[in-house]
Amino acid sequence: MQRNIQAMVDKYPELQVCAGETEQACQLLIGSFRNGGKLLVCGNGGSASDSEHIVGELMKGFMSKRPIPSEFRTTLNELFPDEGLYIADRLQGTLPAISLVSHTAFMTAFANDVSAETVFAQQVYGYGNKGDVLIGLSTSGNSPNVVRAVQVAKALGMHTIGMTGSDGGRLKSLCDVSIRVPYERTLDIQERHLPVYHAICLAIEEVFFGP
């Protein structure tokens, strides 16, 4: 874990101020996954794209091949002798993560019929369980729909991680871990969020699947 965070800092020295919080985020996620939890991720605009990116790195192999357990390979082969190994060779170990930003039918219906401000909160209420983790990305830290999602997550007993700019906004005090990259402009913040969550995903992958 430390190696991945140090690699992040070596490339982006300004992110040294985020190193401690990045490690805390890793520890929260590792603890949750070890206990059968999952990750939910949300954000708007470019941060919505980051939400999808994070999930993509966790749900499949990132830098590791992640072979599935031999027991499951055997089960697939026993159930489907002609195809089981073909399927097994094309599956990878996964860390359960859901991006809340891509559920178009639900989101448009809920925003139209109920409230755009609580659309992520509704998803957190539906998917979240005690011990799960929510990552909320907001460059200002004040995005209303992300704030509401964090509030509901905390009420459910979930762990919360905020990724913001230097100010932190409301997420700074709401979240268990607040990763504030030292920039104020949206594009600068988003550019530094990427190496942070890459370091997190790499560190977690190594814990569960090896380097």
Side-chain angles (χ1 to χ4, degrees):
M1 181 186 310
Q2 289 290 343
R3 181 174 61 82
N4 290 296
I5 296 173
Q6 186 58 51
M8 172 191 80
V9 172
D10 289 343
K11 284 185 177 180
Y12 302 89
E14 68 272 26
L15 295 181
Q16 177 65 57
V17 297
C18 305
E21 290 78 11
T22 301
E23 181 175 355
Q24 291 173 34
C26 290
Q27 296 290 4
L28 276 185
L29 286 159
I30 290 166
S32 178
F33 287 137
R34 279 180 171 158
N35 289 314
K38 61 183 172 295
L39 170 66
L40 307 179
V41 196
C42 64
N44 300 289
S47 296
S49 298
D50 287 328
S51 300
E52 299 277 25
H53 193 159
I54 292 167
V55 168
E57 308 297 23
L58 295 175
M59 284 287 291
K60 61 171 185 60
F62 183 15
M63 297 298 289
S64 299
K65 292 186 179 296
R66 301 193 192 181
I68 65 173
S70 57
E71 296 86 354
F72 192 63
R73 287 180 61 87
T74 300
T75 299
L76 278 170
N77 194 41
E78 289 174 348
L79 288 171
F80 311 104
D82 297 329
E83 302 168 309
L85 292 181
Y86 176 89
I87 297 169
D89 288 339
R90 288 157 180 81
L91 291 179
Q92 297 180 325
T94 189
L95 295 165
I98 301 171
S99 168
L100 303 181
V101 308
S102 56
H103 306 167
T104 309
F106 161 76
M107 294 179 73
T108 53
F110 196 86
N112 184 66
D113 299 344
V114 184
S115 163
E117 187 173 305
T118 55
V119 65
F120 293 146
Q122 179 67 25
Q123 290 166 292
V124 170
Y125 184 65
Y127 287 124
N129 294 304
K130 184 177 181 179
D132 288 346
V133 179
L134 172 68
I135 294 179
L137 297 107
S138 170
T139 57
S140 68
N142 293 314
S143 302
N145 55 0
V146 177
V147 169
R148 300 297 182 222
V150 169
Q151 290 171 320
V152 170
K154 291 185 77 67
L156 289 171
M158 295 173 60
H159 305 294
T160 54
I161 299 167
M163 294 185 65
T164 71
S166 58
D167 178 76
R170 292 195 66 189
L171 293 183
K172 178 174 64 176
S173 58
L174 277 175
C175 291
D176 299 319
V177 177
S178 176
I179 301 174
R180 292 174 285 152
V181 300
Y183 287 89
E184 297 180 1
R185 293 197 309 167
T186 295
L187 73 164
D188 295 324
I189 297 166
Q190 290 174 338
E191 286 173 6
R192 273 63 177 196
H193 278 174
L194 188 148
V196 172
Y197 64 69
H198 265 176
I200 291 171
C201 291
L202 282 168
I204 295 170
E205 181 177 63
E206 289 190 4
V207 167
F208 287 96
F209 302 104

